[in-house]
């Protein structure tokens, strides 16, 4: 399985940056895996419009250039891992904390 080339700090419901709560895109050639370490986080895809509830057992995949935003569902902790190739089976990968 490919290793992430970069990971964000761990954010909670209070420290989650406004930029992640608003519509934004991953860069071309970059996949993001949103890992919830505690609690729940709603991942909303803008185009096409859909959303999924992320939990510690269910991370979210964001494709290159895909517009999206996240919304905490109460108390939570999360982190984003960035890959320069498609991550294998992101749903079964363990959560990472650095």
């Amino acid at each position: 399985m490919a290793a992430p080339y970069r990971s964000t700090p761990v954010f909670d419901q209070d420290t989650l940056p406004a930029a992640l709560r608003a519509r934004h895109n991953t860069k071309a050639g970059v996949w993001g895996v949103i890992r919830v370490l505690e609690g729940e986080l709603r991942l909303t895809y803008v185009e096409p419009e859909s959303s999924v509830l992320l939990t510690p057992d269910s991370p979210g995949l964001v494709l290159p250039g895909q517009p999206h935003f996240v919304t905490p569902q109460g108390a939570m902790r999360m982190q984003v891992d960035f890959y320069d190739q498609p991550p294998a089976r992101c749903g079964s990968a363990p959560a990472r904390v650095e």
Side-chain angles (χ1 to χ4, degrees), residues 6-83:
R6 185 171 79 82
S7 297
T8 66
V10 173
F11 300 116
D12 65 21
Q13 67 282 352
D14 298 322
T15 62
L16 183 67
L20 297 182
R21 297 173 190 252
R23 178 190 165 132
H24 63 283
N25 301 354
T26 48
K27 295 178 183 177
V30 175
W31 288 258
V33 176
I34 302 171
R35 300 187 190 282
V36 174
L37 308 173
E38 295 176 10
E40 298 178 335
L41 182 74
R42 179 151 312 274
L43 169 60
T44 301
Y45 299 104
V46 177
E47 297 170 10
E49 187 176 345
S50 66
S51 70
V52 62
L53 188 63
L54 307 182
T55 67
D57 294 326
S58 181
L61 177 65
V62 180
L63 302 177
Q66 187 171 39
H68 64 283
F69 61 91
V70 296
T71 309
Q73 305 293 291
M76 64 93 207
R77 293 175 61 240
M78 60 82 70
Q79 181 176 40
V80 183
D81 291 332
F82 295 101
Y83 296 81

